[in-house]
Amino acid sequence: AILLWLTLFELAGSVRTWEEKKVDCSNRKHDFDKIYKIKGYYGFDMNPLYYWQTMINYGYCEKYFTYYPKYNDYVAMQSVKDDTTAEKKFCIVEADNTSPQFCATFPENFQQETLKMVVQDCKDTLCDLAKSGKWKAGWFKQSKAKKMPWLREMKKDGHQSLGYEDAFHQKCWHGPKAFGDMIPDIEAFLSEHDLKTTSGTFNKKSCGCSTEDDCSK
C-alpha cells in the first residue's frame, strides 16, 4: 500500500529552507521507480554530497517526473554532475545543494488516473485490515477479530484498536499535495464501494469475505 511506502521512506538529510519552485510537467512521463539516496562529493576538499535519485538514465532525465514521498508531492527529475568527475552523472529529485522542482501541471488525465489509484489503494488498505483482523490491537486478538464485526468507532481504552473511520483517516493515502484531499467524504467512499452494512459496521463481504462480519474462511 502507498501509505506503507510513505512510512518506510527514509527522510534523511539536513533541514534546508528554499523557495518552492514550480515547473511544467505536462509533457513529461511519470516514473514509478523508487527513490534512492546516494553519496557523491564536491569541491577540492572532497566534501560529501548526498543525492536522491531514481534509476532513470541520465540522458532521459528531463523527460520524467516522479512521486517524492518526503514531500507527498510530484517533482520533476533533474540532471546533475558530480564535481569530482564528469563521468558521475545523476538523475535526481533533490540533493544537498539542489532543491526539488515541484510539478505545477501534469499530463492530460493524470489527475483522474491518480484519483482511481488513491481510491483503490484505500479500499485495499481497509479490506486488508478487515480480512487480517489487524484493526484489533494485540496480535493474539487478531485471529478472533476476523470473525468480529468491525465497528465504525472503537472505545478509547488505551489499546489502540482502530474503528474503520479512524482507519480511513489514518491508514489510507488521500493523495499528493498537488491535488489536495482526493477522498474527503468518507460517506461517499463507503457508499460507492458498499463498505457499510445497514447496522453501520464495516461490510467485509465487499472485500470477498463469506459474510458481512466474518473473514475467517
Side-chain angles (χ1 to χ4, degrees), residues 59 61 79 89:
C61 194
S79 54
K89 302 175 182 178

Side-chain angles (χ1 to χ4, degrees), residues 81-161:
K81 296 179 180 179
D82 194 327
D83 279 357
T84 57
T85 170
E87 296 300 318
K88 286 190 176 181
K89 302 175 182 178
F90 305 108
C91 189
I92 68 166
V93 295
E94 183 180 23
D96 284 340
N97 62 352
T98 306
S99 61
Q101 297 181 351
F102 295 93
C103 293
T105 54
F106 297 88
E108 186 177 2
N109 299 323
F110 182 74
Q111 184 168 349
Q112 293 91 324
E113 293 301 315
T114 301
L115 175 60
K116 292 178 184 178
M117 179 180 67
V118 169
V119 169
Q120 185 61 50
D121 185 76
C122 185
K123 181 184 177 184
D124 291 345
T125 297
L126 295 180
C127 282
D128 179 67
L129 290 170
K131 291 190 288 186
S132 66
K134 290 181 179 179
W135 55 268
K136 187 71 171 175
W139 63 267
F140 53 92
K141 297 180 180 179
Q142 291 172 2
S143 180
K144 290 184 178 180
K146 295 178 184 180
K147 305 177 184 179
M148 297 168 56
W150 190 9
L151 304 180
R152 183 167 187 147
E153 297 181 358
M154 303 295 291
K155 292 181 180 180
K156 305 302 181 183
D157 55 5
H159 293 297
Q160 304 302 317
S161 293

